[in-house]
């Protein structure tokens, strides 16, 4: 790794430690030329493969940007969006693949967004799943209603859990 101070082409690792529960490795490096020290961070790259075949690194800010549009005017704050992006990343990383199709990233957004805000969910789903008619909306809305009714029924969740 090139020294960021004097541009010398090499550096020596003087210390390595894991951070973020082993997600990252931080290395302390020292330049043999100017003697200055600097830190590098190593992280496994999770690549998102777009429909065009182009890959780009998974990015939480990008997830938040995409979902924020659907949340306009809804009571969803920045913390909730950050948490949603974290859930999406966990879901996607849990697949254990180094590359993931962008389609699956979209799918991973739908679940937590539905829990967060149903209107935002409908907006996002309508674009993501390219709803083409009122029927598509109606089908999605009745699915949401059925779920809400199931949750409201006393003991429904316990019954579901034991069967
Ligand atoms: Zn240097």
């Amino acid at each position: 790794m090139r020294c960021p101070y004097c541009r010398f082409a090499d550096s020596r690792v003087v210390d390595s430690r894991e951070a973020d529960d082993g997600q990252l490795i931080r290395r302390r490096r020292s330049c043999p030329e100017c003697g200055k020290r600097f830190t590098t961070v190593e992280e496994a790259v999770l690549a998102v493969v777009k429909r065009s075949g182009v890959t780009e690194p998974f990015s939480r800010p990008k997830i938040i940007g995409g979902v924020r549009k659907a949340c306009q005017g809804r009571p969803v704050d920045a913390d909730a969006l950050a948490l949603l992006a974290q859930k999406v990343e966990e879901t996607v990383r849990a697949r254990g693949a180094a590359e993931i199709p962008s389609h699956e990233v979209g799918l991973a957004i739908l679940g937590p967004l539905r829990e967060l805000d149903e209107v935002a969910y409908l907006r996002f789903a309508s674009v993501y799943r390219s709803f083409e008619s009122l029927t598509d909306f109606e089908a999605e809305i009745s699915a949401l209603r059925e779920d809400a009714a199931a949750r409201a029924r006393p003991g429904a969740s316990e019954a579901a859990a034991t069967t």
Side-chain angles (χ1 to χ4, degrees), residues 21-34:
D21 259 349
Q23 287 262 62
L24 306 176
I25 294 195
R26 280 183 216 286
R27 296 189 204 280
R28 210 53 195 139
R29 290 170 184 268
S30 151
C31 172
E33 183 68 15
C34 72

Side-chain angles (χ1 to χ4, degrees), residues 63-64 67-85 112-121 123:
I63 299 290
I64 292 172
V67 172
R68 186 180 284 133
K69 271 181 242 157
C71 291
Q72 256 169 30
R74 301 298 304 164
V76 175
D77 62 15
D79 285 349
L81 284 178
L83 190 63
L84 179 138
L113 184 56
R114 185 167 156 170
E115 280 167 32
L116 194 60
D117 188 277
E118 288 177 343
V119 172
Y121 164 79
R123 286 176 183 158

Side-chain angles (χ1 to χ4, degrees), residues 122 131 134-146:
L122 271 178
F131 286 7
L134 279 178
T135 320
D136 292 332
F137 278 96
E138 278 164 1
E140 198 62 52
I141 289 168
S142 40
L144 284 171
R145 285 224 174 94
E146 276 165 30

